[in-house]
Amino acid sequence: MGRDRGGRGGGKASKASNASKAGTRSGRNSGRASTAGSVIEPGLFPVDAGTAEITRDPFSEGAWLLTLNGAESSQLNPDTPLQLGFEYMRWMAAVMMHRWEPDAGLRILHLGGAGCTLARWAAAWYPGARQTAVELDAGLAGLARERFALPRAPQLRIRVGEAGEVLAGAHPGSRDVVIRDVFAGASREDQATPGHLLGVEAARAAARVVGDGIYLVNHGGGPDLTAARREAATLREVFSTVAALADPQMLKGRRRGNIVFAASNGPLTAGGSTRRDGLVRHLLSDPLPTRLVEPVDGFAAGSRPFGEPLPVIRLETPSSRVNEDCGGTDRRPS
């Protein structure tokens, strides 16, 4: 499903190097947050789409792994939310850090919730942020809310729903950041992003929702880069700026892993070329040194954009939110 972690694809990383560089700035040295109410413990849990398992992470002391039907989905660091074990999450965090200052009251929409690891990072780095995580699996959403000591509403709301429908129905300019991290499949081998979230229509919906903000996409795949090039071509149809973030081996088609696409109709970074240079240095210093490719014209050359449309919004179906206290569902409209 393309959720490899830094230190696994390119050699084991140390515990210290697994931390996002965010944890060393603006007084956020330890990245510690209250874990009151946390009841993380290992176990197997039935969810709507199969089985979720919580285990200790053998690579990071104090961290936990959430797997869905055998595929790694989230790494959780209860005491240090600024530490991000999955490399693609560190890259997304870096893009946000070099666009907005920590006091920005960001509005973030996460398409794909799972363990809400990146949402926990954003709540720690941007304490004024207001976030919604969309998760199709109600059982998984309830498990995350119950066991992972997530920030409470309004810092983080969990909405049970289909990501494409939520994206299509979101108000114009209602978010600064939209993050797409959606994979589905009955087993580890067949995890993939649903086709309707790949198309030009989904990109246009994201552009409408973020305005001059940023659309962050997690593309996971193998050495065949055909789908990644088509994803880049799709985003170029809609956004004036599209960047690809990945390690060089992935961009050369030599391994399975992740490519993050950052798309915007505004600036990718704040402060001009100086801030962009800072992002480049930040990515190169990652435990898995990462290349920023922008523009992506050469990478996408000759590729055909994806065309599958978004689903029709079922307005008669009420939205659901997972209650921030007990994991139940709140049927009030969004």
Side-chain angles (χ1 to χ4, degrees), residues 1-291:
M1 71 191 288
R3 297 187 180 196
D4 296 339
R5 292 190 291 149
R8 291 203 169 179
K12 183 176 177 180
S14 69
K15 290 178 289 184
S17 68
N18 270 337
S20 166
K21 302 303 182 205
T24 63
R25 303 182 185 185
S26 299
R28 292 166 168 78
N29 292 327
S30 67
R32 291 192 171 272
S34 172
T35 56
S38 173
V39 288
I40 297 181
E41 57 187 25
L44 289 170
F45 305 89
V47 294
D48 295 358
T51 301
E53 183 175 14
I54 300 173
T55 59
R56 292 189 180 276
D57 187 340
F59 290 90
S60 300
E61 183 178 351
W64 298 82
L65 287 175
L66 171 67
T67 60
L68 302 176
N69 298 324
E72 286 189 3
S73 174
S74 303
Q75 185 209 52
L76 304 160
N77 292 276
D79 296 325
T80 53
L82 292 179
Q83 289 186 350
L84 297 171
F86 287 10
E87 74 256 22
Y88 78 88
M89 290 189 182
R90 296 196 299 270
W91 305 342
M92 289 180 171
V95 171
M96 287 188 277
M97 289 166 53
H98 289 271
R99 172 68 186 271
W100 292 284
E101 296 297 330
D103 60 356
L106 294 184
R107 302 160 300 164
I108 305 173
L109 175 64
H110 301 261
L111 302 178
C116 295
T117 302
L118 195 56
R120 293 178 80 248
W121 173 88
W125 188 252
Y126 295 102
R130 296 295 178 262
Q131 305 181 77
T132 299
V134 180
E135 174 54 57
L136 181 63
D137 191 315
L140 178 59
L143 178 69
R145 178 57 83 189
E146 176 186 1
R147 293 183 175 270
F148 296 159
L150 300 178
R152 298 169 180 257
Q155 275 193 309
L156 175 61
R157 302 181 187 276
I158 301 179
R159 177 172 174 175
V160 176
E162 200 285 311
E165 293 182 7
V166 173
L167 180 62
H171 295 297
S174 59
R175 302 286 171 166
D176 302 295
V177 185
V178 172
I179 298 170
R180 195 202 78 198
D181 189 14
V182 181
F183 293 86
S187 67
R188 178 177 180 176
E189 290 72 24
D190 64 359
Q191 295 287 309
T193 300
H196 63 272
L197 293 173
L198 301 173
V200 172
E201 192 171 315
R204 286 181 179 141
R208 173 177 52 80
V209 173
V210 299
D212 65 354
I214 295 179
Y215 181 37
L216 292 170
V217 168
N218 177 27
H219 172 90
D224 184 352
L225 297 177
T226 301
R229 297 182 194 281
R230 293 190 66 186
E231 182 110 65
T234 302
L235 295 170
R236 285 177 65 246
E237 288 283 308
V238 177
F239 292 93
S240 59
T241 298
V242 181
L245 294 75
D247 80 280
Q249 295 302 309
M250 181 65 190
L251 289 172
K252 292 176 182 178
R254 293 179 179 174
R255 75 172 186 90
R256 181 173 184 83
N258 302 78
I259 298 175
V260 166
F261 292 105
S264 181
N265 282 320
L268 184 62
T269 60
S273 60
T274 300
R275 198 65 175 266
R276 187 185 185 281
D277 291 344
L279 174 59
V280 170
R281 290 192 298 271
H282 187 146
L283 295 171
L284 288 174
S285 66
D286 189 82
L288 185 64
T290 305
R291 183 183 173 195

